Amino acid sequence: MLLNTLPDTGHSHDHGPQCSHEDHHHGPETHDHDEHDHHDHEHDDHDHGLFGHHHHAPDTFGGIFAISMLLNSAYLIIEAIWGVLAHSLALLADAGHNLSDILALGAAWLAHTLAKRAPSTRYTYGLRRSSILAALSNAVILLVVTGGIAWEAILRLIYPTEAVSALTVMIVAALGILVNGGTALLLMKGQQHDLNIRAAFLHMATDAVASLAVVITGGLVLLTGLQWLDPAISLAISALIVLATWSLLRDSLDMALDAVPKGVDMQAIEAYLLALPDVTGLHDLHVWAMSTTETALTAHLVRTESTDNDSLLEAIGETLKMRFGIIHPTIQIETVRCDVGCAQQEFGSV
C-alpha cells in the first residue's frame, strides 16, 4: 500500500487555513502490485453481501460470453421460425426474451472488458462504472421486452388466433432449456459477486424457466385442446420475469446513483473510524460503488496527534479491506478541528 502524505501548506486546504491535513490515496493509480492480490480475502469470516469484497470476474468469462451468444443466437433463429410456423405466442414470447438475452450478454461482455481498462488522465478510475451501466440497461431492456410480450398475450386472449402446434412448441422449448440452462450454469459462480454478471445470469436463468413453462404449456394444450393456455402462460412468464428483474433494477439503479452498496454497514465503519487512536472527529464520510465489484470510501478524520499517521493509514486501509470489503479508501487527516469555516463538516455535504 502506498501512502501519499501532503504537508500542511497553511493556505491550500479548502476547509480554511487552520486545517492541516494528510491524504491517503488507495486508488487504481497507486497500485504497485498485482490486482489479484485482493482475491486472497475471500476466506474472511465477515459477510459483506454481494458487493462486499473485491472480485474481478476471471478472464474465462470472456470465452463464456462468446459461446453463450453464439448458442443463443442459433437458438433464437430456430425458435422464431418455429414460433411463427406453430402459431405459438408462448414460443415467440420466449424468442423475444431470448433476443434480450443476447443483448444482455453482449452488454455484459463489453462492460466486463471495459472494466479492466487501465486508468487514464481522462478516466482516472478507468471504465469500471460501465459494468453498472450495463447491469442497469439490461434490467430496463428485460422489463421493456417483457411488457411487449404481456401486451401481445392480452391481445391473444381477447382475439384468439390459429391453433397452436403443441408438439412443435414442446420440442423447440425443450431445446431452449438446454441452451439457456447451460449458459446460466456457466455464469452462476460469477454472479455471486458481480452485479453485471448477475444481470446476464438472471436473463439466462429466467429464460430457462420460461422455456420449461412453454414445454408445460405445449403439453397442456396437446392434452386438453385449450388454446387460451398459450397466451395465459405467456402472461405468467412475464410476471415471473418482472419479479425476478425488480431487484436487479433496484440494485443497479442504486449503484448508478452512488448509494452505499449492499452489505456495507455505514454505522460500523463510522464506529471503527471514531475509535481509532487520537481521533476526535469524523466528517465527509462517503461510500459508493466504483463498479459492480469494487467499493470506494472517502473520509476526513480529526486527530489530536499526527506523529504516526503513516502507520495509522496503513492499518486503516487493511482493516477497511478485510472487514468491510472497501479497496479504494481515501483518508484525509486534519490535525486541528475545523469548527469554523469547514464547508464539508455537516452531514450530507459533498
Side-chain angles (χ1 to χ4, degrees), residues 19 61 67 69 87 89 93 95 127 163 172 174 213 245 260 278 298 305 310:
C19 301
F61 275 101
I67 294 172
M69 290 185 68
H87 306 292
L89 178 61
L127 298 175
V172 177
T245 307
V260 177
D278 301 316
T298 60
E305 298 291 338
D310 287 351

Side-chain angles (χ1 to χ4, degrees), residues 50-51 55-65 68 101 104-105 107-113 115-116 130-136 138 183-205 248 252 255 291-293:
L50 182 61
F51 312 111
H55 292 276
H56 283 300
D59 293 337
T60 53
F61 275 101
I64 290 174
F65 284 132
S68 300
D101 290 341
L105 289 169
W109 188 8
L110 177 62
H112 173 72
T113 303
K116 296 188 292 185
S130 60
S131 60
I132 298 175
L133 299 179
L136 179 59
N138 277 337
T183 304
L185 289 175
L186 292 174
L187 296 170
M188 181 176 292
K189 184 177 181 180
Q191 65 92 24
Q192 296 174 359
H193 305 292
D194 188 336
L195 189 66
N196 181 42
I197 296 179
R198 175 185 162 194
F201 166 80
L202 188 59
H203 272 267
M204 306 314 302
L248 171 65
S252 56
M255 297 179 77
S291 72
T292 54
T293 59

Side-chain angles (χ1 to χ4, degrees), residues 28-345:
E29 65 274 19
T30 64
H31 291 183
D32 61 347
H33 53 274
D34 192 328
E35 64 177 332
H36 296 291
D37 289 346
H38 298 298
H39 291 191
D40 58 2
H41 300 293
E42 291 182 303
H43 61 276
D44 185 29
D45 292 334
H46 299 276
D47 180 12
H48 304 298
L50 182 61
F51 312 111
H53 283 297
H54 174 203
H55 292 276
H56 283 300
D59 293 337
T60 53
F61 275 101
I64 290 174
F65 284 132
I67 294 172
S68 300
M69 290 185 68
L70 287 174
L71 288 175
N72 280 271
S73 296
Y75 176 64
L76 169 64
I77 295 173
I78 295 173
E79 192 172 33
I81 292 174
W82 285 105
V84 172
L85 294 177
H87 306 292
S88 171
L89 178 61
L91 209 54
L92 289 174
D94 195 44
H97 186 201
N98 202 52
L99 174 60
S100 72
D101 290 341
I102 296 172
L103 297 176
L105 289 169
W109 188 8
L110 177 62
H112 173 72
T113 303
L114 292 178
K116 296 188 292 185
R117 292 279 296 272
S120 65
T121 54
R122 179 174 176 80
Y123 300 100
T124 57
Y125 276 133
L127 298 175
R128 288 166 166 80
R129 189 166 286 265
S130 60
S131 60
I132 298 175
L133 299 179
L136 179 59
S137 64
N138 277 337
V140 173
I141 291 172
L142 189 54
L143 290 176
V144 170
V145 171
T146 302
I149 293 171
W151 177 250
E152 182 63 24
I154 293 173
L155 293 179
R156 285 284 184 97
L157 286 172
I158 299 174
Y159 307 106
T161 58
E162 299 181 52
V164 174
S165 178
L167 184 60
T168 301
V169 169
M170 294 176 67
I171 294 173
V172 177
L175 179 61
I177 296 175
L178 296 177
V179 172
N180 296 308
T183 304
L185 289 175
L186 292 174
L187 296 170
M188 181 176 292
K189 184 177 181 180
Q191 65 92 24
Q192 296 174 359
H193 305 292
D194 188 336
L195 189 66
N196 181 42
I197 296 179
R198 175 185 162 194
F201 166 80
L202 188 59
H203 272 267
M204 306 314 302
T206 56
D207 211 35
V209 173
S211 295
L212 176 61
V214 172
V215 171
I216 296 174
T217 300
L220 292 175
V221 172
L222 193 63
L223 291 173
T224 65
L226 298 175
Q227 299 297 320
W228 60 266
L229 287 173
D230 183 68
I233 294 298
S234 298
L235 278 175
I237 293 173
S238 299
L240 173 66
I241 294 171
V242 170
L243 289 175
T245 307
W246 187 254
S247 63
L248 171 65
L249 177 65
R250 182 188 62 231
D251 292 345
S252 56
L253 184 59
D254 281 348
M255 297 179 77
L257 295 175
D258 289 334
V260 177
K262 277 187 175 180
V264 176
D265 189 339
M266 287 292 287
Q267 292 183 338
I269 292 175
E270 183 177 0
Y272 161 70
L273 293 175
L274 287 173
L276 291 169
D278 301 316
V279 170
T280 60
L282 168 67
H283 61 93
D284 196 34
L285 174 62
H286 301 283
V287 178
W288 72 98
M290 293 173 55
S291 72
T292 54
T293 59
E294 298 168 291
T295 303
L297 172 148
T298 60
H300 294 205
L301 293 179
V302 182
R303 298 191 73 207
T304 56
E305 298 291 338
S306 61
T307 56
D308 60 343
N309 282 343
D310 287 351
S311 59
L312 179 66
L313 291 173
E314 182 76 21
I316 292 174
E318 288 301 315
T319 301
L320 289 176
K321 180 170 61 176
M322 292 291 292
R323 287 184 57 187
F324 304 105
I326 296 170
I327 55 118
H328 289 284
T330 301
I331 305 295
Q332 176 172 299
I333 293 180
E334 300 164 354
T335 56
V336 179
R337 185 175 181 86
C338 299
D339 289 322
V340 180
C342 189
Q344 294 178 305
Q345 185 174 348

